[in-house]
């Protein structure tokens, strides 16, 4: 019972923070009661459990209703797992027979799987591997009625059994015909409220992401990576504004416009983390659609379905480009401003327009305005009441990239220059261990594109106009480019900083391999691996045949090994007794195959009368452990043999 409660408790532990407190408390009370009953034989606790079990039908109804009231449903991951924990407590309450033990063990195995619905990380996999060993040890304890095995032996035997299953598991993983999709299907609700970039931009939306070190995607360039100033990862394009929030506005199906390029393309492979949205991130500027997404007229890459699993795609982009085609509809959209909003910004833009000879001079005046005036780039911009654009430009002058992009686009539109906002990510951290770049949520960025009649759509990043002395970092942390934030007290220690960077890169490279080859082991990966192994292109029939043949070969090999292996006993009692016999044999008295322990001890005592007491004692302990209804202590027996040196 102790092993069973331990295993179930450990497998439920990761879920405790995901469910109402009363559910883990309910299970803990029942589990503790069963444990005390087993260890102390308390009659009072047994009586209490029996009384509680007598009303289990009422309890079941009440607890199921409570789960429904807590979640509003009994279906889905978030309600289903707590319901399973509640039912597990009820089953533990009514446990009577070995069959009930087995049922609880199998529920425990199932709960191991439910943990992967929340996390598929390496630590989770290792923890669950350990849990499987503990639960399997509970099966061994259930069959070790006379308690001949110590806790260490049970764990060792359990680990041995689990490890023996690994070859079959590995063959099944590699050769089982794959279907499109992740290794573990994660319910849709798992992607709700993810801190990711969306297609709406308002003051504060992107600055919230700047606090997150979560990985947005990883990129591996197939040639030299472009300069950091050119690494703009394009996402949603925003055309409409209500004066506060920017959105894509009304979309239309229109033909793509050509991209004139001035250099060779940059080829790269993106491994995109699930974000439950349909846009894919590509380097400015893509020129064609991908097998997993289509390119729109404003050069957004739209996925065929919401990205709810890790997605890997290869793309070509041209850092040096020119887009010189637009139409009246686009220009009209790119000049739209809300009525009766931003009066001070509109007046400033009209002044610039009147004093400038063209659109490019207006843009330059705006950038000089951000550079010369007291504008600050900060992760904690103050709250703006009233008109958000006028309040930022003329009052607070402290903001993140969305403040600058939104204000700049408003000024340009007010000056009669078509402008749109592009959101995405900028930069990325190079990992020399894995030779790829990591783009994090904190790299989320917003910039603008303006239309020049001579040059077409041109990227303008107003954030870069801010004077470096007016860039503020988050309090308490140092935002070091290329590495996750570390404590300010350790930041200035070069050795620790270098070690931290290396550990960080190594760990991320390991996670990337895990993502690529375990979680992302789909049909393409399977074919690629089999091709690299020299197996070539085979269909599901060939894989099934290979799986059956490999499994049969492994099992046949294990059977042969069991049949032909040395006849040494794996029974710890017999192993210790065999050691005792071998030590006597080295002194000239070997035990005959027909000779029983008592006869052998009698003959050995005659031969070595000085050690007769030891020989009799060891033999009696062996007989008691092997045949008595009240066996002795295995550890004492093994220690006695260990110290026996005739």
């Amino acid at each position: 019972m102790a092993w069973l409660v331990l295993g179930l408790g450990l497998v439920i532990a990761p879920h405790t923070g995901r469910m109402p407190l009363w559910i883990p408390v309910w299970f803990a009370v029942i589990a503790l009661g069963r444990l005390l009953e087993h260890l102390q034989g308390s009659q009072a606790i047994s009586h209490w459990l029996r009384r509680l079990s007598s009303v289990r039908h009422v309890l079941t109804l009440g607890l199921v209703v409570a789960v429904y009231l807590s979640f509003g449903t009994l279906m889905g991951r978030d309600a289903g797992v707590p319901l399973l924990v509640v039912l597990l407590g009820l089953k533990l309450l009514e446990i009577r027979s070995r069959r009930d033990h087995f049922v609880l063990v199998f529920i425990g195995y199932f709960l191991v799987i439910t943990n992967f619905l929340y996390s598929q990380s390496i630590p989770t996999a290792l923890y669950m591997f350990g849990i499987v060993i503990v639960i399997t040890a509970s099966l061994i304890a259930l069959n070790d009625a006379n308690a001949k095995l110590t806790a260490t032996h049970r764990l060792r035997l359990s680990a041995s059994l689990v490890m023996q299953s690994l070859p079959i598991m590995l063959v099944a993983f590699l050769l089982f015909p794959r279907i499109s999709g992740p290794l573990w299907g994660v319910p849709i609700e798992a992607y709700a409220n993810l801190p990711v970039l969306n297609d709406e931009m308002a003051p504060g939306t992107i600055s919230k992401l700047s606090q997150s070190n979560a990985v947005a995607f990883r990129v591996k360039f197939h040639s030299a990576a472009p300069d950091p100033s050119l690494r703009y990862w394009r996402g949603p394009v925003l055309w409409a504004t209500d004066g506060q929030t920017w959105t894509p506005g009304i979309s239309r199906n229109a033909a793509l416009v050509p991209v004139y390029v001035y250099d060779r393309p940059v080829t790269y492979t993106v491994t995109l983390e699930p974000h439950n949205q349909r846009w894919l991130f590509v380097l400015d500027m893509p020129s064609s659609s991908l097998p997993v997404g289509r390119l729109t007229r404003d050069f957004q890459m739209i996925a065929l379905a919401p990205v709810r699993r890790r997605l890997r795609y290869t793309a070509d982009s041209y850092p040096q480009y020119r887009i010189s085609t637009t139409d009246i509809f686009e220009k009209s959209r790119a000049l739209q401003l809300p009525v009766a909003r931003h009066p001070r910004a509109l007046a400033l833009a009209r002044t610039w327009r009147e004093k400038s000879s063209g659109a490019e001079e207006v843009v330059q005046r705006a950038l000089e305005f951000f550079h010369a005036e007291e504008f600050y780039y900060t992760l904690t911009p103050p709250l703006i009441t009233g008109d958000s654009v006028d309040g930022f430009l003329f009052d607070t002058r402290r903001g993140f990239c969305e403040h600058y992009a939104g204000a700049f686009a408003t000024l340009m539109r007010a000056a009669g220059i078509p402008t749109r906002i592009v959101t995405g990510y900028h930069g990325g951290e190079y990992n020399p261990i894995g030779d790829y770049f990591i783009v994090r949520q904190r790299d989320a960025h917003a910039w603008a594109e303006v239309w020049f009649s001579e040059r077409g759509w041109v990227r303008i990043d107003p954030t870069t106009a801010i004077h470096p002395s007016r860039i503020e970092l988050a309090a308490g942390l140092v935002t070091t480019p290329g590495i996750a934030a570390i404590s300010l007290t350790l930041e200035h220690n070069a050795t620790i900083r270098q070690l931290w960077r290396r550990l960080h890169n190594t760990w991320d490279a390991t996670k990337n391999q895990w993502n690529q080859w375990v979680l992302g082991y789909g049909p393409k990966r399977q074919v690629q691996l089999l091709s690299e192994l020299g197996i070539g292109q085979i269909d599901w029939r060939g894989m099934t045949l290979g799986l059956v043949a490999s499994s049969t070969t492994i099992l046949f090999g294990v059977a042969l090994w069991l049949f032909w292996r040395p006849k040494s006993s794996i029974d710890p009692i017999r192993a210790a007794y065999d050691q005792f016999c071998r030590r006597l044999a080295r002194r000239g008295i070997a035990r005959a195959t027909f000779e029983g322990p008592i006869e052998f001890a009698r003959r050995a005592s005659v031969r070595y009368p000085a050690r007769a007491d030891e020989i009799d004692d060891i033999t009696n302990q062996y007989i008691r452990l092997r045949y008595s209804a009240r066996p002795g202590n295995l550890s004492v027996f093994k220690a006695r043999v260990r110290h026996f040196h005739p």
Side-chain angles (χ1 to χ4, degrees):
M1 178 59 69
W3 284 98
L4 183 62
V5 170
L6 176 63
L8 296 178
L10 290 175
V11 77
I12 289 173
H15 287 309
T16 54
R18 305 166 183 147
M19 58 183 70
L21 182 61
W22 66 267
I23 295 178
V25 169
W26 150 257
F27 176 81
V29 169
I30 301 301
L32 185 62
R34 284 298 180 197
L35 196 61
L36 292 176
E37 179 191 38
H38 173 73
L39 296 178
Q40 301 180 355
S42 172
Q43 293 299 320
I45 293 178
S46 296
H47 179 68
W48 175 74
L49 289 172
R50 282 196 299 272
R51 291 193 62 182
L52 205 58
S53 180
S54 65
V55 294
R56 60 185 180 276
H57 297 100
V58 177
L59 270 176
T60 301
L61 180 61
L63 291 170
V64 170
V65 170
V67 172
Y68 180 83
L69 293 176
S70 297
F71 294 94
T73 181
L74 297 177
M75 307 298 290
R77 180 196 64 172
D78 292 342
V81 173
L83 179 63
L84 188 61
V85 175
V86 165
L87 297 179
L88 186 69
L90 287 166
K91 188 63 186 175
L92 192 61
L93 177 65
E94 69 164 11
I95 188 170
R96 296 190 187 91
S97 62
R98 286 171 57 86
R99 177 186 175 279
D100 294 331
H101 277 83
F102 286 120
V103 170
L104 285 168
V105 166
F106 291 129
I107 294 176
Y109 284 131
F110 186 77
L111 278 169
V112 168
I113 299 173
T114 63
N115 279 278
F116 290 108
L117 298 178
Y118 294 90
S119 172
Q120 301 168 14
S121 65
I122 297 175
T124 298
L126 293 176
Y127 180 75
M128 290 304 140
F129 185 79
I131 298 301
V132 168
I133 292 176
V134 174
I135 294 177
T136 304
S138 73
L139 277 178
I140 296 173
L142 187 62
N143 289 278
D144 184 23
N146 293 327
K148 295 180 179 178
L149 300 178
T150 64
T152 303
H153 281 104
R154 287 172 180 170
L155 276 178
R156 189 182 303 168
L157 180 57
S158 174
S160 174
L161 291 171
V162 175
M163 294 296 289
Q164 288 173 30
S165 69
L166 288 183
I168 296 293
M169 184 192 74
L170 182 61
V171 169
F173 176 77
L174 293 176
L175 296 179
F176 192 86
R178 317 297 290 190
I179 58 174
S180 297
L183 179 60
W184 290 284
V186 179
I188 293 178
E189 59 263 36
Y191 303 107
N193 302 318
L194 284 177
V196 298
L197 192 72
N198 58 42
D199 60 352
E200 289 189 358
M201 188 193 78
T205 53
I206 295 182
S207 56
K208 288 180 181 176
L209 295 179
S210 67
Q211 309 295 328
S212 172
N213 275 326
V215 175
F217 53 91
R218 295 176 174 86
V219 186
K220 186 176 181 64
F221 288 98
H222 296 207
S223 56
D227 187 82
S229 63
L230 298 176
R231 289 205 293 267
Y232 283 85
W233 301 96
R234 193 178 186 87
V237 179
L238 312 180
W239 295 81
T241 176
D242 61 359
Q244 179 76 16
T245 303
W246 288 79
T247 61
I250 301 173
S251 61
R252 62 169 181 159
N253 292 322
L256 296 179
V257 298
V259 178
Y260 300 96
V261 299
Y262 303 104
D263 203 352
R264 301 178 64 181
V266 175
T267 304
Y268 52 94
T269 297
V270 175
T271 303
L272 180 63
E273 295 293 313
H275 59 90
N276 200 29
Q277 306 292 344
R278 296 194 60 176
W279 43 83
L280 308 176
F281 297 97
V282 289
L283 194 67
D284 259 352
M285 184 63 73
S287 62
S288 60
S289 298
L290 302 174
V292 295
R294 63 177 177 84
L295 191 63
T296 64
R297 184 179 171 87
D298 52 7
F299 297 92
Q300 296 183 71
M301 195 66 74
I302 304 298
L304 305 179
V307 181
R308 294 182 181 136
R309 61 181 176 87
R310 199 167 281 103
L311 186 62
R312 193 167 182 265
Y313 53 91
T314 300
D316 291 328
S317 292
Y318 297 87
Q320 303 293 340
Y321 64 91
R322 180 183 177 187
I323 304 170
S324 57
T325 303
T326 188
D327 57 24
I328 295 177
F329 178 77
E330 283 186 341
K331 287 184 179 179
S332 175
R333 293 178 71 194
L335 289 172
Q336 176 262 333
L337 282 175
V339 179
R341 299 293 299 271
H342 328 310
R344 299 169 70 185
L346 268 59
L348 178 63
R350 282 195 294 270
T351 302
W352 288 344
R353 186 67 185 186
E354 292 170 359
K355 295 181 179 178
S356 303
S357 59
E360 295 197 35
E361 188 175 340
V362 174
V363 171
Q364 190 59 37
R365 285 179 180 273
L367 297 179
E368 290 175 357
F369 177 68
F370 288 130
H371 183 77
E373 299 294 330
E374 290 294 314
F375 281 96
Y376 287 82
Y377 179 84
T378 176
L379 301 179
T380 55
L383 179 64
I384 301 175
T385 57
D387 191 301
S388 60
V389 175
D390 283 357
F392 169 68
L393 287 175
F394 302 102
D395 297 328
T396 65
R397 295 191 169 183
R398 306 173 78 88
F400 201 59
C401 60
E402 68 263 36
H403 294 82
Y404 289 92
F408 177 82
T410 301
L411 288 168
M412 294 303 101
R413 290 187 175 189
I417 304 172
T419 306
R420 61 192 182 192
I421 290 179
V422 183
T423 58
Y425 298 87
H426 183 222
E429 165 192 355
Y430 180 64
N431 186 333
I433 304 296
D435 189 25
Y436 59 83
F437 286 82
I438 309 169
V439 179
R440 302 181 183 280
Q441 295 298 339
R442 64 187 304 173
D443 299 320
H445 194 49
W447 59 93
E449 287 181 342
V450 299
W451 173 261
F452 295 140
S453 56
E454 299 83 8
R455 299 169 56 192
W457 288 107
V458 176
R459 180 178 62 233
I460 304 292
D461 189 350
T463 308
T464 60
I466 304 167
H467 195 280
S469 64
R470 295 197 295 271
I471 297 177
E472 297 179 349
L473 303 179
L477 293 175
V478 175
T479 53
T480 307
I483 192 169
I486 61 176
S487 170
L488 185 61
T489 57
L490 302 176
E491 170 63 19
H492 301 294
N493 188 313
T495 303
I496 293 179
R497 180 179 169 76
Q498 185 177 8
L499 179 61
W500 171 256
R501 181 188 293 272
R502 186 169 184 80
L503 288 174
H504 172 76
N505 288 335
T506 302
W507 175 238
D508 191 83
T510 304
K511 287 194 296 183
N512 186 46
Q513 292 300 315
W514 172 264
N515 294 337
Q516 299 286 347
W517 289 103
V518 179
L519 303 183
Y521 190 71
K524 293 182 180 178
R525 278 289 186 188
Q526 188 175 42
V527 171
Q528 177 187 348
L529 179 64
L530 295 179
S531 299
E532 292 176 356
L533 294 176
I535 298 177
Q537 297 283 341
I538 59 174
D539 58 10
W540 65 271
R541 299 178 187 84
M543 292 182 188
T544 303
L545 183 61
L547 174 62
V548 173
S550 301
S551 301
T552 303
T553 302
I554 292 174
L555 292 175
F556 186 69
V558 171
L560 285 179
W561 177 77
L562 290 173
F563 184 78
W564 293 105
R565 66 174 179 168
K567 300 302 182 183
S568 60
S569 173
I570 58 173
D571 180 351
I573 302 173
R574 181 58 184 270
Y577 183 72
D578 287 345
Q579 182 182 12
F580 164 72
C581 294
R582 286 195 297 272
R583 289 182 174 177
L584 283 173
R586 285 197 291 268
R587 296 302 301 252
I589 178 168
R591 182 185 172 212
T593 54
F594 57 85
E595 200 170 23
I598 296 177
E599 290 75 13
F600 177 61
R602 186 178 300 119
R603 187 159 60 89
S605 297
V606 171
R607 179 72 177 273
Y608 301 107
R611 312 300 295 269
D613 293 342
E614 288 182 78
I615 294 172
D616 289 342
D617 181 51
I618 290 173
T619 302
N620 290 333
Q621 287 194 41
Y622 170 70
I623 293 172
R624 191 161 54 250
L625 283 167
R626 176 62 71 193
Y627 305 109
S628 174
R630 301 183 63 181
N633 190 306
L634 176 61
S635 299
V636 173
F637 172 64
K638 293 175 67 175
R640 199 82 171 96
V641 172
R642 192 164 53 248
H643 293 95
F644 177 70
H645 299 286

